[in-house]
PDB file of all heavy atoms in Angstrom:
ATOM      1  N   ALA A  41      -1.308  12.742 -12.248  1.00 96.00           N
ATOM      2  CA  ALA A  41      -0.481  11.594 -12.607  1.00 96.00           C
ATOM      3  C   ALA A  41      -0.186  10.757 -11.369  1.00 96.00           C
ATOM      4  O   ALA A  41      -0.274   9.522 -11.389  1.00 96.00           O
ATOM      5  CB  ALA A  41       0.819  12.061 -13.264  1.00 96.00           C
ATOM      6  N   VAL A  57     -14.641   8.965  -6.202  1.00 98.00           N
ATOM      7  CA  VAL A  57     -15.626  10.035  -6.402  1.00 98.00           C
ATOM      8  C   VAL A  57     -14.853  11.306  -6.729  1.00 98.00           C
ATOM      9  O   VAL A  57     -13.924  11.681  -6.002  1.00 98.00           O
ATOM     10  CB  VAL A  57     -16.491  10.264  -5.148  1.00 98.00           C
ATOM     11  CG1 VAL A  57     -17.387  11.490  -5.331  1.00 98.00           C
ATOM     12  CG2 VAL A  57     -17.339   9.035  -4.852  1.00 98.00           C
ATOM     13  N   GLY A  89      -4.776  16.179 -21.288  1.00 89.00           N
ATOM     14  CA  GLY A  89      -5.893  15.294 -20.986  1.00 89.00           C
ATOM     15  C   GLY A  89      -5.488  13.841 -20.866  1.00 89.00           C
ATOM     16  O   GLY A  89      -6.179  13.046 -20.213  1.00 89.00           O
ATOM     17  N   ALA A 129     -26.198  18.251 -10.078  1.00 98.00           N
ATOM     18  CA  ALA A 129     -27.183  19.108  -9.435  1.00 98.00           C
ATOM     19  C   ALA A 129     -28.052  19.749 -10.515  1.00 98.00           C
ATOM     20  O   ALA A 129     -27.605  19.911 -11.654  1.00 98.00           O
ATOM     21  CB  ALA A 129     -26.477  20.185  -8.601  1.00 98.00           C
ATOM     22  N   GLY A 157     -25.268  10.747 -28.696  1.00 95.00           N
ATOM     23  CA  GLY A 157     -25.340  10.714 -30.149  1.00 95.00           C
ATOM     24  C   GLY A 157     -24.472  11.779 -30.804  1.00 95.00           C
ATOM     25  O   GLY A 157     -24.262  12.864 -30.265  1.00 95.00           O
ATOM     26  N   ASP A 170     -23.010  29.157 -27.134  1.00 96.00           N
ATOM     27  CA  ASP A 170     -24.429  29.381 -27.415  1.00 96.00           C
ATOM     28  C   ASP A 170     -25.276  28.135 -27.234  1.00 96.00           C
ATOM     29  O   ASP A 170     -26.482  28.169 -27.486  1.00 96.00           O
ATOM     30  CB  ASP A 170     -24.592  29.907 -28.848  1.00 96.00           C
ATOM     31  CG  ASP A 170     -23.976  31.285 -29.012  1.00 96.00           C
ATOM     32  OD1 ASP A 170     -24.318  32.171 -28.205  1.00 96.00           O
ATOM     33  OD2 ASP A 170     -23.144  31.471 -29.921  1.00 96.00           O
ATOM     34  N   ASP A 194     -23.416  15.311  -2.848  1.00 98.00           N
ATOM     35  CA  ASP A 194     -22.254  14.616  -2.317  1.00 98.00           C
ATOM     36  C   ASP A 194     -22.659  13.352  -1.571  1.00 98.00           C
ATOM     37  O   ASP A 194     -21.983  12.318  -1.669  1.00 98.00           O
ATOM     38  CB  ASP A 194     -21.455  15.541  -1.401  1.00 98.00           C
ATOM     39  CG  ASP A 194     -20.801  16.683  -2.155  1.00 98.00           C
ATOM     40  OD1 ASP A 194     -20.521  16.509  -3.361  1.00 98.00           O
ATOM     41  OD2 ASP A 194     -20.587  17.747  -1.556  1.00 98.00           O
ATOM     42  N   GLU A 206     -18.648  -2.384  -2.081  1.00 98.00           N
ATOM     43  CA  GLU A 206     -18.992  -3.660  -1.452  1.00 98.00           C
ATOM     44  C   GLU A 206     -18.938  -4.820  -2.438  1.00 98.00           C
ATOM     45  O   GLU A 206     -18.939  -5.977  -2.030  1.00 98.00           O
ATOM     46  CB  GLU A 206     -20.379  -3.573  -0.830  1.00 98.00           C
ATOM     47  CG  GLU A 206     -20.445  -2.633   0.375  1.00 98.00           C
ATOM     48  CD  GLU A 206     -21.870  -2.443   0.874  1.00 98.00           C
ATOM     49  OE1 GLU A 206     -22.808  -2.998   0.220  1.00 98.00           O
ATOM     50  OE2 GLU A 206     -22.057  -1.747   1.891  1.00 98.00           O
ATOM     51  N   VAL A 219     -16.291  -3.141 -20.800  1.00 96.00           N
ATOM     52  CA  VAL A 219     -17.190  -2.199 -21.487  1.00 96.00           C
ATOM     53  C   VAL A 219     -16.391  -1.117 -22.203  1.00 96.00           C
ATOM     54  O   VAL A 219     -16.620  -0.828 -23.389  1.00 96.00           O
ATOM     55  CB  VAL A 219     -18.175  -1.574 -20.489  1.00 96.00           C
ATOM     56  CG1 VAL A 219     -18.947  -0.429 -21.148  1.00 96.00           C
ATOM     57  CG2 VAL A 219     -19.156  -2.628 -19.977  1.00 96.00           C
TER      58      VAL A 219
END
Side-chain angles (χ1 to χ4, degrees):
V57 173
D170 294 308
D194 292 333
E206 292 173 356
V219 170

